[in-house]
């Protein structure tokens, strides 16, 4: 039965924890009844992965699923690609909360023996974005069917191109799709977490991931006469050593940072030739924006000055990647209260640099630069009671997710929404 606005605001004012729990329980039951369907959706997506900025069929599939859930407030081709933004309107005006799932796959040849393995050679859902999308479609169905239960609006973002910079998120924010949002939530599956667990971080949910290429120009010659050359190999070695001070002496120990030289290239393998040029390639993973900028400036300076000191020249090509995810502490804490009280999850785990959970890049960071919110990880590893089995990390051609994680992800979104939307008790 439809309620009047007055009746709704009275109902909201009179809401008790018990009533919120009862409504949440109904949503969770509904989600559980959709488990098989969402697994089928996930397997379809897994079979038909599409690369970043090419998710045309995936987006079309999502669009049709939303229509069949009777959701009609849909915008397609948002931002710089095939992103979709859909809105579900509750019983009355209230908070606007955005939920994001990414849709793109990776240029990896799948090597699992899943019955539903990728049918597209060289492309694989190895980062679990098929799970994110399937879970958000399940959440969409639950919310649409139960929209009389809440006041407010839920914005569903099915984002294109998370894996390839500049990513889809920034363009979706710039196109204004978060202008009305009060909060934003995102999730990512994590195969190193047991299914049923939720990972969180009170501050940094991921690292800014920048890359650099340093080209050193020396002057080559005969290996027997180094005094007639400028040895680019020695300059490279010194540069690499000097770069080690960026983290140890420049960055704030409270803000995690990694500077890695991942590859060095010089000379052609001859023992009697001093190389003209050397190339150093690496990545900088940082958390605070201030630390990130500082390290960038100094990295370029160290490379150039070390070369000059040795009579060589260095040019630095520095690429800014995604910024770090900075969660809103109060939102994480409020969400955790609901997550823990729900009794749905076996454990909440704080992810941090110490357990290696956060130094990846993620363009969800752009949403959090716009509005407060939080990013959680969802376990898709073996059940704690399972016989230990080999698990492969994300971005691995053997990556297999525990599909029970799909329902976990749906429940996580619903629990968080029950906390932050205004629940409207009614008959
Ligand atoms: Zn990925
Ligand atoms: Zn991912």
């Amino acid at each position: 039965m439809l309620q009047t606005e007055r009746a709704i605001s009275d109902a909201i004012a009179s809401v008790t924890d018990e009533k919120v729990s009862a409504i949440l329980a109904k949503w969770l039951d509904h989600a559980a009844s959709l488990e098989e369907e969402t697994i089928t959706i996930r397997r379809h997506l897994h079979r038909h992965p599409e690369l970043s900025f090419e998710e045309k069929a995936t987006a079309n599939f999502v669009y049709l699923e939303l229509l069949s859930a009777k959701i009609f407030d849909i915008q397609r081709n948002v931002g710089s690609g095939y992103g979709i933004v859909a809105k579900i309107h509750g019983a009355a005006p209230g908070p606007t909360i955005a939920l994001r799932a990414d849709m793109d796959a990776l240029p990896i040849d799948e090597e699992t023996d899943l019955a539903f393995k990728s049918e597209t050679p060289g492309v694989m859902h190895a980062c679990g974005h098929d799970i994110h999308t399937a879970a958000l479609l399940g959440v969409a169905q639950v919310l649409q069917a139960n929209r009389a239960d809440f006041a407010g609006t839920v914005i569903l973002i099915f984002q294109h191109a998370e894996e390839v910079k500049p990513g889809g998120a920034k363009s979706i924010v710039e196109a204004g799709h978060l202008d009305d949002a009060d909060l934003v939530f995102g999730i990512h599956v994590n195969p190193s977490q047991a299914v049923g667990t939720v990972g969180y971080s009170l501050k940094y949910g991921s690292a800014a991931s920048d890359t650099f290429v340093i080209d050193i120009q020396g002057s080559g010659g005969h290996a027997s006469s180094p005094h007639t050359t400028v040895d680019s190999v020695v300059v490279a070695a010194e540069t690499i050593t000097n770069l080690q001070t960026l983290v140890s002496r420049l960055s704030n120990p409270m803000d995690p940072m990694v500077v890695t030289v991942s590859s060095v290239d010089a000379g052609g393998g001859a023992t009697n030739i001093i190389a003209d040029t050397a190339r150093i390639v690496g990545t900088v993973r940082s958390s605070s924006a201030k630390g990130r900028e500082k390290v960038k400036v100094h990295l370029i300076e160290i490379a150039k000055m070390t070369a000059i000191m040795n009579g060589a020249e260095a040019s630095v090509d520095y690429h800014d990647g995604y910024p770090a995810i900075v969660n809103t502490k109060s939102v994480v804490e409020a969400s955790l209260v609901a997550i823990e009280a729900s009794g749905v999850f076996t454990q909440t785990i704080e992810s941090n640099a110490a357990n290696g959970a956060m130094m990846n890049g993620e363009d969800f960071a752009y949403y959090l630069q716009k509005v407060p919110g939080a990013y959680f990880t969802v376990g898709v590893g073996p059940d704690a009671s399972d016989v230990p089995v080999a698990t492969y990390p994300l971005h691995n051609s053997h990556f297999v997710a525990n599909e029970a994680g799909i329902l976990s992800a749906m429940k996580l979104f619903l629990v968080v929404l029950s906390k932050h939307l205004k629940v409207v008790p009614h008959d």
Side-chain angles (χ1 to χ4, degrees):
M1 191 176 72
L2 279 176
Q3 304 186 87
T4 63
E5 290 233 357
R6 176 67 197 274
I8 289 169
S9 61
D10 287 351
I12 291 171
S14 72
V15 75
T16 59
D17 285 354
E18 288 70 35
K19 284 180 179 164
V20 174
S21 301
I23 282 177
L24 174 60
K26 183 173 71 158
W27 293 1
L28 296 177
D29 281 350
H30 192 164
S33 74
L34 297 174
E35 183 170 23
E36 218 179 287
E37 188 181 328
T38 49
I39 288 176
T40 304
I41 287 173
R42 184 263 165 157
R43 291 184 178 183
H44 169 84
L45 297 171
H46 195 87
R47 243 184 241 274
H48 304 288
E50 291 175 296
L51 292 173
S52 314
F53 294 105
E54 297 175 15
E55 312 89 336
K56 192 175 181 182
T58 305
N60 202 45
F61 176 86
V62 166
Y63 175 64
L64 295 175
E65 286 293 318
L66 291 170
L67 288 183
S68 69
K70 302 200 164 42
I71 296 165
F72 303 113
D73 186 345
I74 306 173
Q75 285 174 274
R76 305 169 77 184
N77 303 322
V78 300
S80 57
Y82 293 110
I84 291 182
V85 172
K87 286 183 186 161
I88 300 175
H89 303 278
T96 297
I97 300 183
L99 308 177
R100 177 271 215 161
D102 37 16
M103 303 190 287
D104 54 332
L106 287 157
I108 292 176
D109 224 350
E110 181 161 353
E111 292 186 270
T112 71
D113 40 24
L114 294 172
F116 52 90
K117 76 185 266 191
S118 170
E119 291 176 10
T120 309
V123 186
M124 175 187 178
H125 267 296
C127 202
H129 298 184
D130 49 344
I131 292 177
H132 306 163
T133 299
L136 193 57
L137 282 171
V139 169
Q141 280 201 50
V142 174
L143 292 175
Q144 178 63 16
N146 297 287
R147 62 196 185 285
D149 292 346
F150 65 90
T153 302
V154 179
I155 302 177
L156 309 166
I157 302 171
F158 293 91
Q159 186 203 307
H160 60 287
E162 188 282 323
E163 298 284 1
V164 173
K165 292 174 184 75
K170 191 163 188 260
S171 69
I172 289 175
V173 173
E174 284 171 356
H177 294 287
L178 254 73
D179 287 0
D180 299 330
D182 298 300
L183 290 170
V184 64
F185 293 95
I187 55 154
H188 207 294
V189 297
N190 182 358
S192 60
Q193 266 175 241
V195 76
T197 64
V198 174
Y200 69 94
S201 168
L202 292 174
K203 196 169 183 192
Y204 300 117
S206 75
S209 57
D210 304 333
T211 55
F212 60 86
V213 177
I214 301 171
D215 279 308
I216 295 161
Q217 179 66 56
S219 144
H222 200 286
S224 65
S225 311
H227 59 289
T228 64
T229 72
V230 176
D231 187 343
S232 65
V233 172
V234 171
V235 180
E238 207 174 313
T239 305
I240 293 165
T241 306
N242 290 343
L243 292 179
Q244 305 314 309
T245 60
L246 289 171
V247 174
S248 70
R249 300 293 75 156
L250 263 180
S251 95
N252 182 335
M254 299 311 286
D255 295 324
M257 157 106 46
V258 173
V259 175
T260 292
V261 169
S262 1
S263 137
V264 191
D265 204 14
T271 56
N272 59 350
I273 301 170
I274 287 175
D276 248 354
T277 61
R279 171 171 278 196
I280 298 168
V281 171
T283 181
V284 176
R285 305 294 169 105
S286 56
S287 41
S288 87
K290 217 168 126 190
R292 180 188 191 193
E293 193 50 37
K294 192 169 160 190
V295 161
K296 175 182 176 176
V297 168
H298 281 85
L299 183 142
I300 295 169
E301 218 159 66
I302 286 174
K304 290 189 181 278
M305 297 315 278
T306 306
I308 287 170
M309 265 163 46
N310 288 282
E313 255 179 67
S315 61
V316 184
D317 201 0
Y318 196 100
H319 285 275
D320 292 331
Y322 298 147
I325 284 181
V326 184
N327 289 306
T328 313
K329 191 167 175 244
S330 58
V331 175
V332 177
E333 284 170 343
S335 305
L336 279 175
V337 170
I339 288 167
E340 277 156 17
S342 71
V344 171
F345 304 97
T346 52
Q347 199 190 353
T348 53
I349 303 164
E350 184 170 9
S351 17
N352 53 43
N355 58 28
M358 59 150 287
M359 295 319 257
N360 60 314
E362 176 35 293
D363 74 349
F364 188 74
Y366 291 112
Y367 300 111
L368 285 173
Q369 285 183 341
K370 177 80 182 171
V371 287
Y375 181 75
F376 294 102
T377 56
V378 175
V380 290
D383 189 282
S385 62
D386 284 354
V387 183
V389 292
T391 55
Y392 292 92
L394 298 172
H395 289 214
N396 185 293
S397 58
H398 296 279
F399 168 66
V400 173
N402 185 332
E403 288 184 315
I406 302 171
L407 181 55
S408 267
M410 288 167 65
K411 288 183 169 179
L412 177 60
F413 274 136
L414 293 169
V415 168
V416 166
L417 286 174
S418 74
K419 180 75 185 177
H420 298 282
L421 283 167
K422 292 270 173 276
V423 168
V424 183
H426 62 97
D427 296 322

